[in-house]
Amino acid sequence: MGAEHKYDTKIVSYFCEENLTEMFAEAARLLNNGELVAFPTETVYGLGANAYDADACAKIYQAKGRPSDNPLIVHIADEAQADELAEVSDLARRLMAEFWPGPLTLVLPAKPVLPSVATGGLNTVGLRMPAHPAALDLLRAAKVPVAAPSANLSGRPSPTAAYHVYEDMQGKIPLIIDGGEAAAGLESTVLDLASPVPAILRPGVITSADLAEFIPGLAEETRLPEGGIARAPGMKYRHYAPKAKVILCPPAAIYDTYVAAWQRFVDEGNLQPKIAVLASMQGMRGLAQAEHCFLLGDDLEQVAQNLFAALRWTDEINADLVLAEVFPEHGLGLAVMNRLKKAAGAANDKL
Ligand code: TXA
Ligand code: MG
């Protein structure tokens, strides 16, 4: 039995467990003993370790199969912890007051208290106070900041439900806290406040328009210059990719693309191709006959919430091809397209 299958992974439910105090006490004991605990947040599920414990943080990379130069977001339950870990500017404090707890990660100059395995060796740290009550209860019980990337295997879509975590982490970690479906469905907005010009390194549910009152003129997203150094190292890795090839289609072109792709498969001898369509109501028009459709929803909030589950579903059904709808690239649509382009491999070609 390899190191990967060391644990009899237990799932406990935030909604059903009778003694929540004892449940969080057990989770806190595990974290303080250097073990990993997966927990729900309002964005996606996190794979948590005590951020002060270098060996525990190293286990995260091992469990995910992720390169260790990628810094981890550090989750905290109160602002006093932010002052322990980073230099907090007035702007950062105002943003915390407005958006925390919530899906905004602030990259700040780090105080030299965290092991380099947590910060990816950078002199900055990404801090976030998650809004899910189970995440906050866990952080309060643990009494330490918790470093946590999304709880998926590297390269797989981020988990938005406890069973997604189980699929990827079974046998590798002792405990998963089930807190239901993630409300936002996309990872937090990462805002760099450690550089002279604030920049959104990863678009999310909190948009540049939401931040404009605090940071006038903030660009919607920071695109990396050709050959430039990644300001968010995570941006350079391929993410969210399902096994099948993903083609992005404007809604009006999905039907024709579907028919053409079907014909191509048939010509090549695959008479029953599984072409998965991921689209909104609008994009599904004309596809009543198509067998493998995943309705992402009526509006962008629903699309964001369902996107990662839809990408995982394409793996489950062993899709031969995925056609995904293109959404307008601003506001929440920008965050959705950022993930979809990564799934399609398109954004990575540029990075
Ligand atoms: O919503 C989220 O943020 C989820 C949940 C679990 O909280 N966490 C998450 O973590 O998405 P992760 O590790 O999958 O993504 C971390 C992202 C990466 O793109 C990383 O490069 C960037 O944040 N990041 C973290 N610390 C940074 C730093 N000091 N400087 C620049 N980028 C940083
Ligand atoms: Mg991730």
Side-chain angles (χ1 to χ4, degrees):
M1 203 161 70
E4 314 82 67
H5 287 278
K6 205 167 135 187
Y7 299 99
D8 185 11
T9 305
K10 190 165 136 191
I11 305 183
V12 293
S13 166
Y14 180 63
F15 299 112
C16 302
E17 215 66 37
E18 273 175 21
N19 190 341
L20 283 180
T21 311
E22 176 45 34
M23 181 185 111
F24 285 114
E26 186 199 339
R29 266 196 304 277
L30 286 167
L31 286 172
N32 283 289
N33 284 333
E35 301 287 356
L36 305 185
V37 173
F39 62 97
T41 84
E42 78 283 24
T43 59
V44 300
Y45 276 70
L47 182 61
N50 174 358
Y52 287 125
D53 182 336
D55 293 337
C57 291
K59 285 184 184 172
I60 291 179
Y61 297 106
Q62 209 184 1
K64 281 180 67 87
R66 161 165 157 166
S68 60
D69 62 335
N70 199 1
L72 303 170
I73 290 174
V74 178
H75 296 68
I76 56 178
D78 59 60
E79 278 188 39
Q81 282 179 311
D83 290 296
E84 273 171 43
L85 301 169
E87 304 291 347
V88 182
S89 63
D90 287 347
L91 172 59
R93 228 171 274 287
R94 277 184 279 133
L95 292 169
M96 289 171 183
E98 178 74 17
F99 296 103
W100 281 7
L104 179 67
T105 295
L106 300 175
V107 174
L108 301 169
K111 290 185 177 165
V113 288
L114 289 177
S116 65
V117 61
T119 58
L122 300 173
N123 55 10
T124 56
V125 61
L127 296 182
R128 151 164 146 77
M129 190 189 292
H132 196 297
L136 289 170
D137 283 350
L138 175 68
L139 292 167
R140 287 189 197 111
K143 297 191 172 68
V144 288
V146 171
S150 48
N152 52 286
L153 286 175
S154 189
R156 293 213 75 203
S158 296
T160 53
Y163 77 89
H164 296 159
V165 181
Y166 191 73
E167 274 172 10
D168 286 9
M169 293 296 153
Q170 185 192 357
K172 297 183 170 193
I173 62 173
L175 185 67
I176 299 170
I177 299 173
D178 182 350
E181 259 180 57
L186 299 180
E187 305 85 347
S188 61
T189 304
V190 177
L191 177 67
D192 180 7
L193 294 180
S195 304
V197 180
I200 293 181
L201 303 182
R202 180 173 70 184
V205 172
I206 293 177
T207 64
S208 63
D210 298 325
L211 297 165
E213 184 189 324
F214 301 88
I215 312 171
L218 180 68
E220 279 213 298
E221 183 184 22
T222 304
R223 291 190 190 278
L224 293 176
E226 203 75 36
I229 295 168
R231 273 170 83 176
M235 288 160 79
K236 67 184 188 227
Y237 300 108
R238 192 179 151 89
H239 274 166
Y240 320 117
K243 288 180 211 141
K245 181 176 175 184
V246 178
I247 295 181
L248 305 180
C249 289
I254 295 178
Y255 177 78
D256 287 346
T257 311
Y258 184 91
V259 172
W262 185 281
Q263 190 58 52
R264 217 166 35 246
F265 277 115
V266 169
D267 291 347
E268 286 165 3
N270 181 352
L271 302 184
Q272 292 285 309
K274 281 189 185 161
I275 304 179
V277 180
L278 314 186
S280 68
M281 282 302 261
Q282 192 199 0
M284 287 294 180
R285 263 189 215 131
L287 285 162
Q289 311 283 328
E291 216 180 324
H292 302 289
C293 292
F294 195 114
L295 182 64
L296 292 173
D298 286 334
D299 56 40
L300 278 171
E301 277 77 23
Q302 288 176 12
V303 171
Q305 209 175 15
N306 292 323
L307 183 63
F308 286 138
L311 290 169
R312 279 183 181 258
W313 167 80
T314 68
D315 281 349
E316 253 164 59
I317 64 162
N318 267 314
D320 294 303
L321 181 69
V322 179
L323 302 185
E325 179 174 339
V326 165
F327 297 93
E329 276 187 87
H330 52 79
L332 185 52
L334 183 75
V336 167
M337 287 309 296
N338 168 277
R339 284 21 173 225
L340 268 176
K341 282 180 172 177
K342 285 183 177 165
N348 295 342
D349 297 340
K350 277 192 247 139
L351 298 183

